[in-house]
Structure formats: structure tokens, C-alpha cells
Amino acid sequence: RRVNPVHSLRIARAGLIAAVALTALVRGLAAGCIVLAAAAAADATLGLAEVLRRSAYPVAVFLAAAVATSRLWKGRIARDLGQVALFVEGLRPELGFGMVALIERKRDGGDGDDLEIVRALERDVAGVPWQRAVVRRVLGVVARDGLLLVGAVLVLRAAPARSLERLGAAGRSDRDAAAPAALRGTLLAPLRARITPPAYTQIAPFTVQEPSAITAISGSTVVLEGGAGAPARGSVTARLDNDTIPVTLRGGRWTVRLVLTENPAALRLSDGTAERLVTLEPYPDSLPDVRLESPARDTVLRSAEHRLPLAARARDDFGMSAAWFEYIISSGEGESFRFRTGTVARESLALARSAALEGSLDLGALRLGPGDLLHLRAVATDARTVRGPGRGVSETRTFRIARSGEYDSIAFEGLPPVEGDTSALSQRLLIILAEALERRRPRLARDTVVTASRDIARDQARLRRRVSDIIFQRLGEAEGEHAHEEGGVEAGAEPGDRSPEAVLRAAEAAASVDPSQPLDFAHEETPVVAVNRPLLEAYNAMWEAGRWLEIGEPDDALPHMRAALAAIQRARQAERLYLRGRTPALVVDLRAVRLAGNRSGVRGGTRTSGGAAADSRELVARRLAAHLDLALGAGAAALADSLQVLRLDALGRLPRVAAALAEAVDALRAGRDATGALVRARRALAGPARRDGSREWEGW
């Protein structure tokens, strides 16, 4: 059977497209390996800067992508069947461009004569074997590029291992740094930490190169390994705070294995000639967050005969193991109580990070009686392996079964506040409004200021009339200021006199008594008890404040308004205090009683070095100042270690200080200026600036 040459050419085109894609991938990988090998060699001989080490991997990836893209762009002609025919013609010149002519005739179609020409071209092309030549050329190109990739990989394998590790560490994480220059050539460099979080967290193990601090969830297993490429002399010792950690030596390498607890700690490594500090900073697994959605509130039930629907939602950062509803029933009265507990709708969550819990509680089956209390909450546990599972609970809902006859009781409303209290509150509000108007006064037009000030004056007049009612309510008159407006006559004033001075004269006359008469029991109530002189002062001050407010001068009215408030406060004290003398002020000698208390029997009474006193701002500030004073003679490496230990003490209580100290330590280890980070640490130790609250509380 004769093979169609056009069909064979299409098969060749598919092979060429696959070869172009494969060679593009191979050439890109080879270019990336060569760039990494060159960077490792330059770092080993010249010592590249940190920024160049960080850019080695990105540059290698970029060049690999550029080479592969260039190859694909040049090989895009393989998609054209005519270009493939020219490629075949170049391999077999004896075709005499018959293949190209055949493809052109096939594209154009044509009449009967063209069909005869096409058949003749097919017979001529079929007589020349060209397929094997194409296969040999394609395999040759792929083999050549494959050899190029093998050579690049061998060059990369021959590069210095320590330099490659430094490039890899700089490329993976910004926190990973190269080993300090003082530790090079010792058993403490290079250093690699392998962290394996607990299985329930579903976090993959990860590696940190040249760590100065290891941050991971508590319960993680940490394996530190070092000594590769260092001279085989001496031995390594490890101390975790005050405890010695065993060190395993094998094949020129040493390893330290430990498990992160819940408390930060400092790991000190030493080989006899040098010392290295690594801080362990674990963070705890948070408890599940549980929210009870139904029932939504506490309730008093007439009877316990229906089914109570339950609904809750729970979330956790790493996953939960189980969730359920829990209830407690308390029955009895007086000194005899009985308690029952139980659970409903328990579900296994299989490390789900969020869950919706639903169920119901049959109150009739619980046999609740009158007066019984039912406490209900939702509970969820995680799969934590350190110190047992964490347990999160929701807020508690309480249901009470009403006793017989309880609904026959009468509810009473409480008495409203006395007049003096409401007056004081209103006067405070008027002062606040006047102060706000005075602050906005430079930005407002004069007419606007006068209008707003008169509004406050009207409120001040209404409050003044209320104070007048309090003054005259025990004198037997209807209402003090209103009586004058209606033409009433008062002591010491002419009939029809409505001026405020007339009101004041009437009050003064009522308050004046004959010294020869007894102060008590002369009448039902004496004028001395009926008239409160501080309220007269408040009344007078309110008149003065109203006059200034009427002409649009709130600044001049404020002193009188504050005087009125002070007088009202004195009146409140005069009505509510019935002591014959002032209570003595309790004076405590702080120097005599400080630290003199007895802490026996108090939970957590034993003091420890990591207590609140050690973590206070003052102590951390003094230690930071001492470290900075010694920095000039100690050097950057010693200062970095000191600040790292200080940061360990500041964790938890002073997070902003710890963050600033971490930046300072990273800057010192990288040889950068750490002044800015240290300034931020000092500012964080100084605490937030305090505002002067005297203006906001003025007049209260």
C-alpha cells in the first residue's frame, strides 16, 4: 500500500513540535544550572553580598525562562506544514522541491489538470525515502541538548556545597541568613534546623538555614545539624537555659534534637572555641472558638414539656477532634441541692477546621421541676498533643422553670432621680455645648454664633426655672419664677415685680430667720431647711450666664455656667450627707507596707525569674541601656546575642519591643545599621503618650 506523503509530512510536523518543546525545557534547565554554578563559584572565591545571594535563584529562574521562551519562539515555524516541507527538502535535496510544490498544490485545490499534476508529484516524492533522515536529525538535536544539560548538572554538582547552601537559604526565606564570619571554619557553621510540627496540625516539615531564632508551634520537633565541611576537631555542647542537651556525633556531623515547649528558651551551642545562640520562640495552639447560636438568650419557662432546638458553630486554627452540647441541672432550695450533668449531639470532627453542630434537647425527658435551673453550652476540643487537648466552650444559656404562684407577683417601677441630679446632668450638657461652640467660633460667622448661643441661652433659662421651682417648693408658693410672670407678690418685692432681683430678694427674705427663735419644730419645716442657699448661688450664676449667651458671648458665659454646676454639686451633698463631722482621711505609709504582705496560701505565690517584675518595662529599658553602653567595646556579634536574649524576655508582655529588637538583631547580624530599630524599641518601652484630660473633664 502506497503511503500518502502529505500524511507522513503531518506526522513529521507533530514530531518536530514535540522536539521543539523538549529542547526548550532542556536548554532552560541547563541555563539555570550554569547560572547557579557560576554564582556559587563567585560566592566561594569573592564572597558575594547578601543582596546578590538573594538574587541568585530569581536570576537563574529568569534566565531559564528566557532561554526556553526564545527556543519556543524560534521553533514556532514547525506549526506551518510548508516550513516543514522546506526542512525535509533541506535534508534530501534529491526531492527537487517536489514536496514544497505538492503542499502548495494541495492548498490551492485546482481543476482536473491540477489533479494530474498532484498525482505525478506524489509519485515522485514517494520514490525518495526521507523519513529516516528527519528522525536522525531530530534525535541528534535532542541528544545534543541533553548532553548540554548533563554537563550543566555536573558543573553544578562540582560547585562548593557551602556556597550552594547559602544561596538556597537566601532564596527561600528573608529570615534565613548566612553564618556569621566569626563562626566560619568552626563546628557551629553551617547550621541547619529541621522543624517537624505535630501531625495533627497538618503542617509540612520545613528547614531553616543558619537560624538565629526558631519560631514554630509548641510541640514541634526541632533537629539542629551542623559541622559539615568544618575541621574535625573538638566537640559540641548544647545548653537549653540551664539544662544540658545531648549531642549526637555521626560522620563528621553533629545533631541536637529537642521538642518545643510552651515557654521561650535560649539554646547555646559551643565547640570550645566559639559560641552560638539560637532562641526558641514557640507559639501556642489556640483553643477552639465556639459560638452558641440557638438558644439565643436566657429564658424562664412555665413548664418543661417541649423539645429545645440546639445550634452552634465552632472554628479552630488546626482542626478539631470532637464537639457536643453539655448541660448541668441544679435542683433544690435552701441548703439541699442536687446536680446532674449530661451531653447531647456529640460529633467526631476528624480535624475539621470549622463545623456546624445541631441537635435538640428533650426537656420532658430531663424531668425538670419548678425552680430547677438548666445551664447549657457548646463544647469543642482540638487534637493538641502537648498537655492534652485544648477545650473551647461557648457562652452559657440558663433556663429556669417557674415556681407555682410566681406569676401572681406585682412588679414595681423604681423612683425617678431627684431634681438635683437631673439639674446637675443638664448643666453639664449645657457646658459641653457652650465649649463646643467656643471651639468652633473662629470658623463660624457672627450671626451663626449668636443664633447658636441664644439656643443655649433658652435651654439655660428653662433649667434656671426648674432650679427656681426647687427653691420655692417648700415655701408654700406655687412656683417661684412662674408666679412672678403671672403677677404674684413675694416678700420684699412690689406687686407685679418680675425681675430676677425680685426673686432673689424673696428667697433671701425667706432664708432670713430670727436668731431668738428655735431652728427646729417651730413650724412643720423651717425656712433654713426649705431654702438651700447653694441653689440660690446656682440660680444667680445661671442668670449671669444667660445674659452673656443672649449677646453671643459663650466664652464669657462659661465661668458662670461652671459656677452654677459647682453650686448644684454642693446642694446635692448638703441634702444627702447627715454626718456630724467629716470622715477622717485614710493615710497609708506605702514605704512601710510595700512588699510586706503574706503570699502564703496564694496560688502562684512563689516568685520566679520570669515573673512580671522581670518583664516590666523599666527592667527591660535598663537592660537595653546597659547593653547599648557596652556595645562599643563588645562588638556587633556580642550586642546581637545580648539583644536576642533580651527579646526572649520581652516576648508575650511587650510584643512591640520584641518586634523592634528582632529587627535590630537581624540588622546587626547582616552588617546593617540598626539605629532605627533600636530607636523604635526605646519608643515602645516608653509606652504610649498620655493625653492631658483636664480639658475634657473640665466642669465635671
Side-chain angles (χ1 to χ4, degrees):
R1 182 181 178 181
R2 181 177 296 178
V3 179
N4 188 348
V6 177
H7 179 69
S8 299
L9 192 64
R10 289 194 177 98
I11 296 176
R13 180 180 62 178
L16 285 174
I17 292 175
V20 168
L22 180 60
T23 54
L25 177 63
V26 170
R27 291 183 184 182
L29 293 176
C33 292
I34 292 174
V35 170
L36 289 179
D43 182 66
T45 56
L46 303 177
L48 295 179
E50 180 68 15
V51 62
L52 296 179
R53 288 198 302 270
R54 292 179 184 273
S55 60
Y57 270 86
V59 169
V61 173
F62 175 79
L63 289 181
V67 171
T69 303
S70 175
R71 176 58 176 164
L72 291 174
W73 179 256
K74 291 180 180 180
R76 72 187 187 281
I77 60 175
R79 298 178 300 174
D80 188 0
L81 198 60
Q83 294 293 335
V84 176
L86 287 175
F87 174 74
V88 174
E89 294 280 358
L91 295 179
R92 299 302 299 267
E94 56 266 33
L95 289 173
F97 294 98
M99 182 72 74
V100 177
L102 177 61
I103 296 301
E104 293 295 330
R105 290 287 181 176
K106 285 284 186 178
R107 288 177 176 175
D108 296 337
D111 52 9
D113 295 334
D114 290 331
L115 293 177
E116 293 294 331
I117 296 174
V118 168
R119 292 191 180 97
L121 290 174
E122 288 179 350
R123 288 192 299 268
D124 295 338
V125 171
V128 179
W130 53 269
Q131 290 85 354
R132 292 185 178 179
V134 173
V135 172
R136 285 195 298 268
R137 174 60 63 88
V138 171
L139 292 179
V141 173
V142 172
R144 182 192 62 192
D145 291 344
L147 291 177
L148 176 64
L149 177 61
V150 171
V153 171
L154 292 177
V155 172
L156 183 62
R157 292 289 298 273
R162 292 182 59 188
S163 298
L164 287 176
E165 290 181 359
R166 294 176 64 186
L167 295 178
R172 281 193 298 270
S173 175
D174 292 337
R175 291 184 60 85
D176 298 340
L183 298 177
R184 297 176 184 175
T186 67
L187 291 176
L188 304 180
L191 180 64
R192 182 179 64 180
R194 177 75 173 176
I195 296 96
T196 305
Y200 78 91
T201 62
Q202 306 179 43
I203 301 177
F206 58 96
T207 302
V208 180
Q209 302 288 341
E210 305 296 345
S212 60
I214 297 176
T215 302
I217 187 172
S218 57
S220 300
T221 302
V222 179
V223 179
L224 289 97
E225 185 181 65
R233 66 174 188 273
S235 60
V236 175
T237 59
R239 294 184 64 84
L240 186 62
D241 289 340
N242 296 325
D243 300 329
T244 302
I245 304 298
V247 180
T248 303
L249 300 175
R250 181 181 299 173
R253 291 177 177 268
W254 58 266
T255 57
V256 173
R257 184 184 182 90
L258 50 89
V259 177
L260 295 183
T261 61
E262 295 184 347
N263 300 319
L267 177 65
R268 298 183 182 273
L269 304 172
S270 176
D271 66 348
T273 60
E275 186 176 285
R276 187 164 191 171
L277 176 68
V278 179
T279 56
L280 308 178
E281 303 170 5
Y283 57 89
D285 182 5
S286 62
L287 297 177
D289 180 20
V290 186
R291 299 182 182 274
L292 185 61
E293 297 181 346
S294 178
R297 60 184 60 87
D298 300 343
T299 309
V300 178
L301 303 176
R302 287 181 177 269
S303 62
E305 299 176 354
H306 60 281
R307 184 176 293 273
L308 185 66
L310 307 177
R313 290 189 176 274
R315 295 182 302 172
D316 190 57
D317 47 0
F318 296 115
M320 297 170 289
S321 59
W324 63 88
F325 294 99
E326 182 179 78
Y327 65 86
I328 300 176
I329 301 174
S330 61
S331 305
E333 58 183 354
E335 298 181 357
S336 176
F337 279 93
R338 292 179 294 104
F339 297 92
R340 292 178 290 158
T341 62
T343 59
V344 292
R346 187 182 185 94
E347 292 187 11
S348 178
L349 301 180
L351 297 181
R353 297 193 176 185
S354 62
L357 188 63
E358 295 182 352
S360 62
L361 183 61
D362 188 0
L363 299 181
L366 297 178
R367 299 187 301 276
L368 299 175
D372 290 354
L373 292 177
L374 171 65
H375 307 276
L376 180 67
R377 66 180 182 178
V379 183
T381 59
D382 58 17
R384 186 177 62 183
T385 57
V386 180
R387 297 181 60 184
R391 179 169 175 166
V393 298
S394 69
E395 63 275 15
T396 302
R397 300 281 185 259
T398 302
F399 297 86
R400 184 171 62 86
I401 309 301
R403 295 184 175 89
S404 58
E406 183 174 344
Y407 289 93
D408 296 335
S409 60
I410 301 176
F412 292 92
E413 295 184 359
L415 291 175
V418 298
E419 293 291 338
D421 289 347
T422 56
S423 301
L425 180 59
S426 301
Q427 188 64 22
R428 291 192 187 99
L429 178 60
L430 294 179
I431 292 174
I432 293 174
L433 294 176
E435 290 176 344
L437 177 61
E438 182 63 27
R439 287 194 297 268
R440 294 185 292 112
R441 184 176 181 177
R443 303 188 301 271
L444 300 177
R446 176 60 184 173
D447 295 341
T448 304
V449 174
V450 173
T451 302
S453 180
R454 288 177 177 175
D455 291 340
I456 301 175
R458 285 192 292 270
D459 294 334
Q460 183 70 83
R462 283 193 291 268
L463 180 59
R464 185 188 68 244
R465 285 193 289 268
R466 291 173 58 189
V467 174
S468 173
D469 295 341
I470 298 173
I471 294 174
F472 286 90
Q473 67 182 351
R474 296 181 179 177
L475 294 178
E477 299 186 8
E479 293 184 2
E481 192 168 335
H482 299 287
H484 297 284
E485 295 177 358
E486 296 173 0
V489 182
E490 57 196 53
E494 297 295 333
D497 190 356
R498 303 179 181 181
S499 64
E501 290 79 2
V503 177
L504 291 177
R505 287 197 300 271
E508 290 289 348
S512 301
V513 296
D514 187 359
S516 63
Q517 298 296 327
L519 293 180
D520 293 329
F521 309 111
H523 304 283
E524 293 183 358
E525 288 183 338
T526 66
V528 175
V529 177
V531 179
N532 198 328
R533 187 172 295 275
L535 288 181
L536 293 175
E537 299 178 12
Y539 185 82
N540 191 16
M542 289 179 183
W543 266 111
E544 293 297 329
R547 290 173 178 174
W548 288 108
L549 290 172
E550 285 291 344
I551 62 175
E553 296 295 337
D555 189 25
D556 294 328
L558 278 172
H560 302 287
M561 299 174 72
R562 294 175 184 134
L565 177 60
I568 292 174
Q569 294 283 30
R570 291 198 303 272
R572 293 176 62 231
Q573 295 175 359
E575 289 188 2
R576 294 190 178 187
L577 298 180
Y578 298 93
L579 299 179
R580 293 185 179 274
R582 293 181 177 272
T583 57
L586 298 179
V587 180
V588 180
D589 189 352
L590 296 180
R591 294 184 179 180
V593 301
R594 184 178 288 119
L595 302 180
N598 185 6
R599 297 177 61 88
S600 61
V602 180
R603 184 177 181 181
T606 305
R607 290 182 174 270
T608 60
S609 59
D615 294 330
S616 63
R617 293 179 181 271
E618 293 78 6
L619 182 57
V620 174
R622 289 196 298 269
R623 291 177 58 186
L624 178 60
H627 294 329
L628 296 179
D629 291 340
L630 299 176
L632 296 178
L639 179 59
D641 289 345
S642 300
L643 295 180
Q644 188 75 2
V645 176
L646 183 60
R647 175 179 179 271
L648 198 65
D649 294 338
L651 282 175
R653 291 184 177 274
L654 304 172
R656 294 181 57 193
V657 177
L661 291 177
E663 297 179 8
V665 170
D666 293 341
L668 290 172
R669 295 191 188 280
R672 302 191 304 270
D673 185 15
T675 303
L678 292 175
V679 169
R680 287 191 294 274
R682 294 292 295 270
R683 290 176 178 174
L685 284 172
R690 297 182 178 179
R691 295 182 56 190
D692 184 9
S694 58
R695 183 66 179 174
E696 288 77 4
W697 287 97
E698 188 174 0
W700 283 72

